[in-house]
Structures are given as structure tokens and as C-alpha cells.
Amino acid sequence: MIEFRFEVGDLATTSFAYSPLQEAVFSLRCLHDPARYPHHRPWLRRIRPRLDTLDHELLSALTAPWLWVPDCLMPRPDRARPAFADELVRLGATPPDLLDADFRAAYRHENALPPVVARGLAAPARFLERVVTALDAYWHTCLAPDWWPRLQSIMEADLAHQARVLAEQGAGALFAGLDRRLSWVDGQLLLSTDDFMLQAPWTDMSIAGRGLVLLPSLFARGAQPLIDPTRPPTIIYPARGRATLSEEPPPVTGDALVRLLGRPRARLLLLLAEPASTTELAHRLKVTPGAVSQHLTVLYDAGLLSRTRNGRVVRYARTELGDQLCR
């Protein structure tokens, strides 16, 4: 059991964020153990041929066999929605001694380091540059085109859900709802480690005014902390809606909904059980964003959808009327 000790005011500085760099690094776990991540199999099948064009030896070595990842590869976000490029810049500024310590902590034993890592740590500056270059190429080749827009939509939906739970039910329900490993007891947050593949090297942490950041992930099978307890407190938890990654668009049938709305609009309405953006819906339906946008406008004007804007991204979700119509 790990105990996160809250002092007066610590709950007020607890926040949510998501990290594209974290998800990129965690996605490398699929290369080690694809059976543990069934929802990612369609994506993994698509990108396997592209991996041969990348620094595959290094990318595979960024995750230990027991799926631990060096903490420095996932700097805690400095805002709720950081850009991948900005996070990569922060990674590139990692001090050499921290890079060395984090890789050794993730692999636990000197003789467990893969040869590519052992050689790299002998010249940490060049090794770090190679890591940054490899992750950048991996992002743009395998993730950014169609994978990240879909994940980002799931992340946004998760954050919106957590905000609603906090507002309506309070912190206790919020933490308990993040994952079965978490519980809120007498003002302290407890993280069960009973089913960890390897036990964490520490058992308690004081938030002590540093702020706790909660990060959803599509690759976390349960709530987990960082390896190093001296880092700013962070908990990674499983994002809601992970199963939608392997979901095919709903079938078009001849039922009343299709006859009423037409095939494209009926399919969109069924997909929007969870909020999504125009781009993400276009990827899932394999059509142009322009075609999706026209139908979304009609559904919105009819009161079947609501929409919220975050910067330049607009996300749609079914209204109560839309839910009733789907039923």
C-alpha cells in the first residue's frame, strides 16, 4: 500500500492533465507484451511495418521487461494539455546524471540494462539526443497521423467526466472512481499495490504543497505512481473509454433510427455516446472532416447534440434527447 499524505490546501492544488509524450512512451509497452493491450491490436498491426524504418532497437529498450519506464521520459506536464513538441524539448533538457539514475532505477540491476542502453549511458548527452530523435520520428511516423487524435478525444472525455464527478460528488468519489486500486480514507489517498508486477520501492509520500497531478492513460492497467518518490507527486490511472480504440463504427441497419435520420447521421449519433471531435469522428468513419461537419451541424441544430470548445477543438456529445432517440 502506498499512502499519499495530504496537508491543508493540498486538495485544492490537485489537478488533471494528459501527456502526449507519456502516451507515446507507454505505447512502446505494446511491443513487449501486446497481449496485455488488446484494444491496441488494430493500431499495432497497422504500424508494425513502419517500425522497421525507425530506431527499433532503442525504442524497444525504453521499456523494461516488467513494463517500467524511466521517469525522465515522462516529465510531469506543466499545464493541462501540453504539446508533444514542448514536452520533447523538456525531455531534451534532462541532466545526464538524472538520465543515468532513471534508466538504472527502471531496470533495477546493472546487468539487466540492454546493450543499447548500457552503451548509451557511457555518453549520456549523445544518448539523450538519440532518445529524443527516436521518439520524435516514432511520433510522426506511427502516432500523430491518426492515432493521437482518437486518443486525445478519449482523454478530453475522461477529463470532462472527472470534473463532473468532482463537482457533483466530491473528492472521495472522484478518487475511488479513478481506479479500484485507489481509495480516500480519513483525508489520505491510498494506492493498493497488491497486484503490481513488481512492488514500488517506497510506501508513502507527502504532497507537501507540491500539488498532485492525475494523468489518464490508455496504457495503464491500474493506477500507478512514478518510480522515484522525490519527484513531484503524480498518479497515472486508466482512462475511461479505452475499449473504443478497437471499436468498429456501429453497423448500419434498417431500423427506425436510420429511416428517420439517414445512415450517416444515425451512425454519428450512435458513435457520440462519448464526446468526440469532428476530426476524430472522421478518422473512425474513414470519411472527410467536411462531410462529418455537415451532418453534425444538422444534428446540433435539431437539439440532438451539444458541443463544447477547447481552444480550436470543438467536441460533440449527445444530449438527453439524443440519448432517448438512440434508445
Side-chain angles (χ1 to χ4, degrees), residues 2 37 51 76 84 111-112 123 135 141 159 170 172 192 204 209 216 226 231 233 250 255 264 270 278 294:
I2 297 176
Y37 304 98
L51 290 172
R76 190 172 86 159
F84 177 81
N111 57 6
L135 286 173
T141 302
L159 264 58
S192 171
D204 69 291
L226 296 179
R231 301 292 173 83
D255 61 16
L270 291 171
T278 302
Q294 293 178 24

Side-chain angles (χ1 to χ4, degrees), residues 113-196:
L113 290 173
V116 65
V117 174
R119 293 192 307 268
L121 292 178
R126 287 201 302 272
F127 181 57
L128 180 59
E129 183 178 353
R130 181 179 174 184
V131 169
V132 169
T133 300
L135 286 173
D136 189 48
Y138 174 58
W139 174 262
H140 288 99
T141 302
C142 299
L143 308 182
D146 58 1
W147 180 85
W148 176 244
R150 191 162 185 173
L151 259 73
Q152 187 176 31
S153 181
I154 294 173
M155 297 292 193
E156 288 288 347
D158 181 274
L159 264 58
H161 171 80
Q162 307 307 343
R164 196 160 53 244
V165 171
L166 179 61
E168 295 176 359
Q169 302 178 46
L174 170 71
F175 288 122
L178 293 180
D179 184 57
R180 60 179 177 81
R181 291 178 179 173
L182 292 170
S183 58
W184 180 256
V185 180
D186 296 330
Q188 307 302 322
L189 181 61
L190 305 180
L191 171 57
S192 171
T193 60
D194 290 345
D195 61 347
F196 276 26

Side-chain angles (χ1 to χ4, degrees), residues 38-40 42-43 46 147 149-155 157-158 218 239-250 270-276 280-281 283-284:
H39 303 315
H40 298 274
W43 160 76
R46 290 198 307 272
W147 180 85
R150 191 162 185 173
L151 259 73
Q152 187 176 31
S153 181
I154 294 173
M155 297 292 193
D158 181 274
L218 273 291
R240 298 176 75 254
R242 300 184 304 283
T244 62
L245 284 176
S246 56
E247 173 186 89
E248 292 297 324
L270 291 171
L271 278 174
L272 283 166
E274 293 288 345
E280 200 270 341
L281 290 167
H283 280 302
R284 294 171 73 177

